[in-house]
Amino acid sequence: VERLIKSAKFRISNASFNDIYYIDRGLNKEQLFNLSTAQFIDTNSSVIFYGFTGSGKSFLACALGKQACIKGIKTRYIRIPDLLMLRDEATLTPQGISKLLKKFTNFRLLILDEWLLDELSDEEQHFLFELIERRHENSSTIFCTQFKKEDWHVRLGGGVHADAMMDRIVHNAAWIFTGNLNMRQFYAKKQDQL
């Protein structure tokens, strides 16, 4: 389990399901508890955490990812900007892109943070489509994004790749709004009071 947690490269390494703060956030405790059992991974379903900056999306994703590791599931966390940087580097070597796609396809649970944060080039759209297509119905993905479902199509470029990606993601996913409470601000205030 320790090896799985280490190799997952969680952004928030101390994120724990037991430390999720629920008061005034509107989070569905029962839904999150069900997700923590990792059954959504058995059905190759996805989870989408959406909400404002600082609302705790990454923490929730890392906490769920850690639960998956505890259950022996190979998991990986990565920010989209970092993944696209790896894509750029992969273009410099023969078969680099296909090797990178294979690597990230093989994780049973993949956490993609900062999803749709930046505009995507045609090449980046194609790369993400290939990744989503290969993972579709074979594994589970957690997306962390600031954007609601209705904004996704435009953020994904608005073309056929956008249609195809949305079709593979949105229908078999649990959508969780992370609330209006800025958790960074909340914990900073708590720290000041100590």
Side-chain angles (χ1 to χ4, degrees):
V1 169
E2 282 178 14
R3 184 180 52 78
L4 284 170
I5 289 172
K6 191 176 179 184
S7 63
K9 300 186 178 181
F10 293 119
R11 180 179 184 175
I12 305 168
S13 56
N14 64 343
S16 167
F17 194 77
N18 296 327
D19 294 335
I20 295 173
Y21 185 83
Y22 291 95
I23 299 165
D24 298 327
R25 289 181 77 187
L27 291 173
N28 183 331
K29 201 170 189 175
E30 189 180 343
Q31 183 186 28
L32 284 172
F33 178 77
N34 287 338
L35 290 171
S36 78
T37 64
Q39 283 182 326
F40 76 97
I41 299 169
D42 295 335
T43 59
N44 302 319
S45 304
S46 294
V47 178
I48 299 160
F49 290 113
Y50 69 100
F52 305 100
T53 299
S55 62
K57 300 181 294 293
S58 300
F59 183 95
L60 290 166
C62 290
L64 262 191
K66 202 176 272 187
Q67 288 295 113
C69 290
I70 289 166
K71 294 185 183 305
I73 295 164
K74 193 176 176 190
T75 302
R76 179 69 151 84
Y77 167 97
I78 193 164
R79 296 166 58 247
I80 289 292
D82 294 333
L83 179 59
L84 294 177
M85 211 178 295
L86 290 176
R87 190 210 78 89
D88 291 345
E89 290 167 10
T91 60
L92 305 174
T93 58
Q95 301 296 310
I97 294 284
S98 59
K99 285 177 186 169
L100 185 65
L101 283 167
K102 187 177 180 186
K103 176 183 175 179
F104 280 93
T105 298
N106 286 337
F107 293 108
R108 197 77 185 81
L109 175 63
L110 179 62
I111 300 169
L112 297 175
D113 203 349
E114 297 179 9
W115 176 250
L116 306 180
L117 187 65
D118 298 310
E119 282 188 31
L120 300 167
S121 68
D122 289 349
E123 292 82 7
E124 289 168 342
Q125 281 174 38
H126 183 71
F127 172 78
L128 290 175
F129 167 72
E130 280 298 324
L131 180 61
I132 299 301
E133 162 60 24
R134 290 173 189 214
R135 294 183 58 76
H136 180 59
E137 294 183 343
N138 296 308
S139 48
S140 296
T141 308
I142 297 176
F143 300 87
C144 300
T145 182
Q146 293 180 28
F147 296 94
K148 295 175 185 172
K149 191 193 296 185
E150 52 266 32
D151 300 322
W152 277 39
H153 195 264
V154 172
R155 300 295 301 173
L156 285 166
V160 290
H161 280 122
D163 292 337
M165 273 192 268
M166 286 193 70
D167 190 52
R168 286 159 177 76
I169 298 169
V170 302
H171 305 303
N172 191 24
W175 289 76
I176 300 169
F177 178 59
T178 50
N180 297 315
L181 191 64
N182 188 316
M183 297 308 294
R184 286 195 194 103
Q185 203 173 9
F186 174 79
Y187 283 115
K189 275 183 186 172
K190 271 186 93 168
Q191 202 64 34
D192 289 345
Q193 289 165 4
L194 295 177

